[in-house]
Amino acid sequence: VAETFRVIQGAMSEEYVRTTQGVFQFELSGEEGGTWYIDLKTKGGSAGFGKPPVTADVVMSMSSADFVKMFT
């Protein structure tokens, strides 16, 4: 999960932020579970562990294994 978020963070761009304008929060269970987020609303965007810096537009709950499958 952490590696997936590192890749997501590395792919961030102003264009993605400008066109998406959404904050996604993931409540993951299992290995590397917990609260993670992708912020494609705040300038520059960000992704990582913990609650997003602004209120999430979408909250998804799933296993960490399913999250990794979804992003690969």
Side-chain angles (χ1 to χ4, degrees), residues 3-70:
E3 179 60 25
T4 301
F5 274 96
R6 276 192 287 279
V7 170
I8 292 168
Q9 179 68 46
M12 294 273 171
S13 73
E14 286 293 333
E15 182 180 342
Y16 287 144
V17 173
R18 186 174 52 255
T19 59
T20 305
Q21 287 297 295
V23 178
F24 305 90
Q25 181 174 322
F26 301 90
E27 297 297 334
L28 304 181
S29 60
E31 188 176 333
E32 292 189 82
T35 301
W36 296 78
Y37 72 93
I38 301 172
D39 177 358
L40 291 171
K41 188 180 265 186
T42 306
K43 183 178 178 163
S46 61
F49 185 74
K51 295 222 179 236
V54 296
T55 303
D57 298 301
V58 177
V59 178
M60 294 183 234
S61 297
M62 65 186 72
S63 72
S64 55
D66 286 344
F67 172 82
V68 171
K69 287 178 191 174
M70 181 172 77

